Amino acid sequence: MTSVLSTDELRSRIAEALPGLRRDLEELVRIQSVSADPERLDQVERSAEATLALFRAEGFDAEIVRAHAGGPPAVVGEKKGPEGAPVVLLYAHHDVQPENDPADWDSPPFEPTERDGRLYGRGAADDKAGIVTHLAAARALGEDLPVTLRLFIEGEEEVASATLPELLQKHRERLEADVIVIADSGNWDIGVPALTTSLRGLIRVDVEVRTLTHAVHSGMWGGLAPDAIMAITRLLSTLWDEQGDPAIKGLVSGPAADVDYPEDRLRAESGAIPGLDWIGTGSAVERLWTKPSVTVTGLDAPKVAGASNTLVPVSRARITVRTAPGDTSDNAVRRLQDHLAEHTPWGAQVTTTVVDTGEPIAIPADGPAYDAARRAFEDAWDGTRPIDMGVGGSIPFIAEFLETFPKASVLVTGVEDPDTRAHGANEGLHLAEWERVLLAETLLLRNLHPGS
């Protein structure tokens, strides 16, 4: 029978394994697995192979799988625990975001570099540290593994997980679990752990506004014919009310947890300029977690440099709506289209194209798995209880797991903190906090054993 290890024993094992885990993470970061770059798809393959080798070395029966020939590589595997033990599926992803302009980085983006207690590099946090967190728990528990572990390390999360539904259905029996641990989120602050229990969804819609069949001279026709930029800016301005709340009727809003988000943190983490006023109404966490937001993330119009005295006939904008838990993408798309049709000025022609969507999530945060997680987090953070945190961003694939495995308890955890800068320049992992994350997941797996 598997022995139940004490917290001190597991803390000691994590500390002993940490240098090797750090080396494993750095080797993964050096692989430029940018799934959005066709020129680096060979690196995505390389990162899948490196991930596979790491877990095979810990005793996993694992392989690389694809939804179809030439599809993105995912790593699927299993390491059996005691007969009748709970089954836990560990999720992370091995692909990363583009680094964009390397000049914006203080050190080379794919050369892991430590500064002031952080390890910098693309993927150092999102999400290669998540991969190594799962690896650490398996390595620390070793032959004392109290549960059966299953593994799903995805290779296309940063490009919207297009083949994920097919993969989940194709390998459903190999992935089915009592508990799913998704290591792709973060904690509330340094020293304050969190479980992510809600996420906003999103819709992205391209809007084209046309007022003329061709460009004409602004001196000859200005003042009579509305140009497309005039029309689209008038239309876009109707998307918010005077307070900055979305003015689109029928979007869902809801209450948020009673969590204080200090003003100094809000300003530091957002990069707000001095004196900037916040938009919207309600508490800060409501506006960020459980109310919708509307953003114009792109606008097609002539550049100022070289602009001519011309009435522009057509202009385009990309509108992103973050949808609150309880809403649906279908509802949000319909409500946005209705709003645009109602507020189109001067008889302009408006065409909308849905780019992509993702559903909002509200996860029931109760039951034995959540009890086990909260005990684990409290022990790893020396008595600090985790908070239930919302996330304003979207992780659409979580809905796929909830739909495919409706009986499983889904725990969304992660290694990020308010200064991680995932997706941006100088992405970094707080190393001391990461060690707590490693211990927390190891304790969670121990706590899930019926005899713990």
Side-chain angles (χ1 to χ4, degrees):
M1 181 176 177
T2 302
S3 61
V4 178
L5 299 173
S6 71
T7 298
D8 286 343
E9 286 176 305
L10 291 174
R11 192 186 302 271
S12 177
R13 289 190 182 189
I14 288 293
E16 183 179 349
L18 193 58
L21 294 165
R22 166 83 175 265
R23 287 192 296 272
D24 293 335
L25 175 58
E26 291 183 359
E27 286 304 308
L28 289 176
V29 171
R30 290 187 177 98
I31 302 172
Q32 300 185 25
S33 51
V34 180
S35 52
D37 183 358
E39 298 297 320
R40 288 186 278 190
L41 294 183
D42 62 326
Q43 296 293 297
V44 178
E45 296 292 333
R46 185 179 159 209
S47 69
E49 291 165 1
T51 300
L52 176 66
L54 287 171
F55 283 95
R56 279 183 171 173
E58 299 305 324
F60 281 77
D61 178 12
E63 65 175 323
I64 293 174
V65 300
R66 308 169 197 275
H68 51 77
V75 179
V76 170
E78 181 179 77
K79 185 176 182 180
K80 289 189 178 297
E83 188 69 29
V87 178
V88 181
L89 175 64
L90 305 176
Y91 170 93
H93 62 89
H94 65 88
D95 66 321
V96 299
Q97 282 280 323
E99 71 277 26
N100 299 317
D101 187 352
D104 293 334
W105 291 71
D106 295 332
S107 53
F110 292 102
E111 181 51 48
T113 305
E114 183 177 349
R115 295 191 301 275
D116 300 322
R118 283 187 180 272
L119 184 68
Y120 289 92
R122 173 59 84 227
D126 182 20
D127 186 33
K128 290 177 177 177
I131 295 172
V132 182
T133 297
H134 296 328
L135 185 74
R139 188 172 294 175
L141 290 163
E143 297 305 313
D144 298 303
L145 184 66
V147 297
T148 287
L149 293 180
R150 290 178 176 166
L151 189 67
F152 185 80
I153 308 297
E154 188 186 358
E156 57 175 335
E157 194 276 340
E158 300 293 9
V159 287
S161 303
T163 71
L164 176 64
E166 187 177 348
L167 279 171
L168 292 181
Q169 291 301 324
K170 192 173 182 178
H171 301 282
R172 180 171 183 153
E173 290 186 5
R174 301 177 66 185
L175 300 174
E176 197 159 16
D178 302 298
V179 179
I180 301 173
V181 180
I182 294 175
D184 195 23
S185 187
N187 290 303
W188 176 240
D189 201 357
I190 300 299
V192 183
L195 291 161
T196 298
T197 58
S198 72
L199 301 102
R200 289 194 293 191
L202 86 164
I203 62 167
R204 294 196 300 167
V205 177
D206 285 351
V207 178
E208 179 181 284
V209 175
R210 178 177 289 277
T211 57
L212 303 166
T213 58
H214 57 84
V216 294
H217 194 288
S218 64
M220 300 294 292
W221 294 101
L224 179 66
D227 65 87
I229 296 177
M230 181 181 184
I232 201 168
T233 53
R234 174 66 69 90
L235 179 58
L236 294 176
S237 71
T238 70
L239 294 172
W240 305 272
D241 64 18
E242 289 299 318
Q243 289 74 41
D245 282 317
I248 303 168
K249 297 176 183 177
L251 297 179
V252 172
S253 294
D258 185 17
V259 175
D260 178 46
Y261 205 143
E263 182 71 11
D264 58 344
R265 269 190 61 189
L266 284 168
R267 294 200 171 272
E269 292 164 16
S270 67
I273 61 173
L276 184 72
D277 292 330
W278 302 124
I279 58 172
T281 56
S283 71
V285 293
E286 283 177 339
R287 281 176 272 178
L288 293 173
W289 298 349
T290 61
K291 295 184 70 174
S293 68
V294 180
T295 309
V296 177
T297 55
L299 188 64
D300 286 344
K303 294 180 180 180
V304 172
S308 64
N309 292 322
T310 304
L311 298 186
V312 175
V314 62
S315 184
R316 300 174 185 85
R318 177 162 293 178
I319 299 173
T320 297
V321 179
R322 296 288 176 170
T323 53
D327 209 341
T328 66
S329 57
D330 286 345
N331 177 67
V333 167
R334 185 173 66 254
R335 299 291 187 172
L336 173 61
Q337 290 172 333
D338 289 348
H339 178 94
L340 296 172
E342 182 181 346
H343 292 86
T344 298
W346 306 306
Q349 294 177 355
V350 174
T351 305
T352 59
T353 303
V354 177
V355 178
D356 54 19
T357 65
E359 299 303 325
I361 300 294
I363 303 172
D366 53 16
Y370 270 86
D371 293 341
R374 291 188 175 102
R375 291 200 314 273
F377 278 51
E378 187 170 1
D379 286 345
W381 272 267
D382 301 319
T384 300
R385 291 279 290 173
I387 69 166
D388 289 351
M389 186 176 81
V391 172
S394 307
I395 311 180
F397 69 79
I398 294 177
E400 299 292 344
F401 281 94
L402 291 170
E403 183 178 341
T404 306
F405 306 113
K407 294 182 180 179
S409 296
V410 177
L411 307 176
V412 182
T413 67
V415 304
E416 297 178 20
D417 66 81
D419 199 31
T420 291
R421 305 185 192 186
H423 294 203
N426 296 312
E427 176 184 347
L429 173 70
H430 192 286
L431 290 167
E433 201 73 353
W434 184 49
E435 186 173 359
R436 295 187 184 101
V437 172
L438 302 181
L439 177 60
E441 182 161 316
T442 307
L443 293 174
L444 165 61
L445 298 182
R446 180 205 64 182
N447 292 351
L448 290 172
H449 187 276
S452 65

